[in-house]
Amino acid sequence: MKLLKIEDQNFKGKRIFLRVDFNVPVEDEKVTDITRIEKTLPTIELLLSKGARLVIGSHLGRPKGGPDPKYSMKPVFDAFQKLVKAKVTFSEQVVGPEAVSKSKALADGEILLLENLRFHKEEEENEKGFCKKLAELADVYVNDAFGTAHRAHASTEGIAHLIPCYAGLLMRKEIEMLGSLIVRPQRPFVAIIGGSKVSSKIAILKNLIDKVDHILIGGGMAYTFLRSRAVPIGKSLFEKEFESEAFQIIDRAGVQGIDLQIPVDHVIADQFDANAKTKTVDKMGILDGWMGMDIGPKTIDNYSKVIKNAKTILWNGPMGVFEMDKFAKGTIEIAKAISKSSAKSVVGGGDSIAAINKAGVAEKITHVSTGGGASLEFLEGKTLPGVACLLVKEED
Ligand code: AMP
């Protein structure tokens, strides 16, 4: 099975429904971060250069299945217009006669941006009639929204069964980069997994354990691992129901000869607060009434040494409560260590990306994945419906 490339096609005179992830932050009717729009520009420019007429659709936020001015795409339209040379118009209707006639009025190289797809509850329900209405807007479907590829919605899955479909450049890049971690990665392969909860990272840990050489654990989830090894964790974040799974993962890594490391020292606080009292403690564990908020200097050092020798690095999840300056050091130092290594590095998850930006090392990372949930599910080994529907048989 393979994905059909847009580079190989002639789209002159064709209307293309391009699903993008323009789910950008909006404040006071202004887009405050255009990163996600920028990431799709290569696909948009390529399609326009091939004479296509683009009907672009995206969701924005989580409206409750009906129109809600708070989630209108109009601010996105304003920001988007400034980023492309092409003529862009807006359709307040997502589907229906107005949207169809606007799509038919497009000339080669012009763009129609649709209102928020999630203003229709049928979008998330992947309802057949709604898929058909979306398909009436175009001759061809291109999906560049990797960030929603783990959802089988009308615009990410249903429509692909109705008109010829292709993967956009960003979609393909994400699949190729994340895929290269799973299929024949260069070794040593180091996975750095952090974030708040074991529960949300257990599946990725279980899938990666057969594929990596080192697993470095940090963040709030580390304390369930520590506790499973009888290290005192005070009032740190702890998920009792995952304690035995954490224990088993450490055990399995040992049996398989994988180097799994958990923090050997910690920055602790007397309360979950930016102005809390802090201390650094080592492997004796965390004092009663205190909580672990960041990995300590010895752990930073140990992890940095492993990172230095890596050939492939995957990082998902911060090492501590990096939103508070007092507890950001571990995460920032790990970001720096990754940026200094010559390994192929892939970073996913909104918080790790924010940390990469905070450390000012984004350009040194081989690939910053745009898809939080989607990249996690991909690395968990799950089939993403938004990708599966784009696959065609090799001989096609
Ligand atoms: P996740 O979405 O699971 O990747 O978790 C990200 C969140 O984990 C961030 O908001 C961090 O502040 C939080 N976090 C990281 N380390 C800790 C910790 N030691 N205690 C509590 N929360 C943490």
Side-chain angles (χ1 to χ4, degrees):
M1 301 292 275
K2 65 171 183 183
L3 295 167
L4 292 180
K5 297 181 179 176
I6 53 175
E7 298 93 305
D8 302 340
Q9 306 301 317
N10 176 10
F11 291 120
K12 192 156 176 46
K14 293 260 196 282
R15 288 174 308 155
I16 295 182
F17 181 85
L18 175 65
R19 176 57 158 102
V20 295
D21 183 1
F22 283 181
N23 183 25
V24 289
V26 175
E27 271 167 40
D28 297 329
E29 297 179 18
K30 294 225 160 44
V31 173
T32 54
D33 183 349
I34 56 169
T35 313
R36 284 194 170 150
I37 303 179
E38 284 179 324
K39 295 250 182 203
T40 306
L41 291 179
T43 296
I44 292 172
E45 275 154 19
L46 180 67
L47 292 172
L48 293 177
S49 75
K50 287 172 166 284
R53 306 162 176 208
L54 296 184
V55 177
I56 298 185
S58 175
H59 72 284
L60 179 69
R62 292 174 185 231
K64 301 220 158 43
D68 180 345
K70 203 169 126 203
Y71 297 109
S72 171
M73 290 288 285
K74 280 192 196 125
V76 178
F77 172 63
D78 293 337
F80 178 55
Q81 262 185 323
K82 294 183 191 129
L83 295 169
V84 283
K85 288 193 203 91
K87 181 180 165 200
V88 193
T89 46
F90 187 71
S91 177
E92 307 219 356
Q93 265 195 6
V94 172
V95 289
E98 181 203 312
V100 172
S101 75
K102 283 191 173 176
S103 76
K104 289 194 171 153
L106 288 170
D108 289 2
E110 289 184 355
I111 303 173
L112 176 67
L113 180 69
L114 301 175
E115 187 46 285
N116 194 339
L117 293 163
R118 290 195 186 161
F119 281 2
H120 294 260
K121 65 177 183 0
E122 298 86 349
E123 157 67 1
E124 289 180 76
E125 291 166 358
N126 201 3
E127 193 266 330
K128 281 206 171 105
F130 186 72
C131 297
K132 246 171 109 180
K133 285 186 188 160
L134 283 179
E136 280 165 15
L137 300 174
D139 311 298
V140 169
Y141 168 64
V142 176
N143 190 355
D144 215 21
F146 180 75
T148 46
H150 56 319
R151 308 270 180 240
H153 294 169
S155 68
T156 62
E157 205 274 341
I159 186 175
H161 301 288
L162 302 174
I163 46 178
C165 55
Y166 300 86
L169 300 177
L170 177 62
M171 173 69 93
R172 273 211 348 263
K173 187 170 175 211
E174 291 277 7
I175 295 166
E176 278 160 21
M177 291 308 293
L178 295 172
S180 74
L181 297 180
I182 292 178
V183 184
R184 288 186 292 282
Q186 280 213 57
R187 298 188 177 283
F189 178 5
V190 180
I192 309 153
I193 308 290
S196 57
K197 290 186 173 167
V198 183
S199 49
S200 62
K201 302 287 160 79
I202 199 91
I204 191 172
L205 283 169
K206 282 184 177 165
N207 196 41
L208 287 175
I209 206 160
D210 297 323
K211 300 177 173 70
V212 302
D213 305 292
H214 303 265
I215 298 180
L216 309 177
I217 291 182
M221 60 185 267
Y223 303 101
T224 301
F225 280 85
L226 286 156
R227 173 78 191 263
S228 82
R229 290 280 140 158
V231 177
I233 60 164
K235 56 177 184 182
S236 306
L237 226 129
F238 172 57
E239 288 173 285
K240 173 113 199 73
E241 58 290 18
F242 284 91
E243 190 178 1
S244 73
E245 292 228 47
F247 187 88
Q248 282 164 23
I249 285 178
I250 298 176
D251 230 31
R252 206 171 126 198
V255 170
Q256 293 183 205
I258 289 152
D259 167 46
L260 183 147
Q261 299 194 28
I262 49 181
V264 293
D265 59 348
H266 319 270
V267 177
I268 61 172
D270 61 344
Q271 52 179 317
F272 193 85
D273 190 278
N275 300 314
K277 268 197 234 141
T278 68
K279 280 185 195 184
T280 301
V281 295
D282 64 13
K283 58 178 175 292
M284 294 310 288
I286 294 160
L287 313 170
D288 266 357
W290 290 67
M291 60 183 87
M293 298 287 271
D294 195 8
I295 56 173
K298 284 185 209 145
T299 308
I300 293 176
D301 207 40
N302 293 348
Y303 287 9
S304 299
K305 282 186 188 132
V306 176
I307 290 167
K308 192 166 178 226
N309 293 321
K311 288 264 166 45
T312 306
I313 298 170
L314 165 69
W315 182 23
N316 188 301
M319 297 289 102
V321 185
F322 78 106
E323 297 93 334
M324 302 180 193
D325 286 344
K326 279 186 178 174
F327 313 111
K329 189 162 190 241
T331 305
I332 300 285
E333 290 304 320
I334 293 302
K336 286 188 184 157
I338 297 173
S339 75
K340 281 187 212 140
S341 103
S342 57
K344 173 194 244 182
S345 50
V346 177
V347 176
D351 288 312
S352 322
I353 296 169
I356 288 281
N357 290 332
K358 198 166 174 176
V361 298
E363 335 67 76
K364 304 259 172 62
I365 306 300
T366 316
H367 181 65
V368 177
S369 178
T370 51
S375 51
L376 212 54
E377 289 197 19
F378 188 100
L379 294 167
E380 286 167 9
K382 289 192 187 140
T383 302
L384 306 186
V387 175
C389 67
L390 299 176
L391 293 167
V392 293
K393 289 207 189 85
E394 287 288 343
E395 63 271 21
D396 284 3

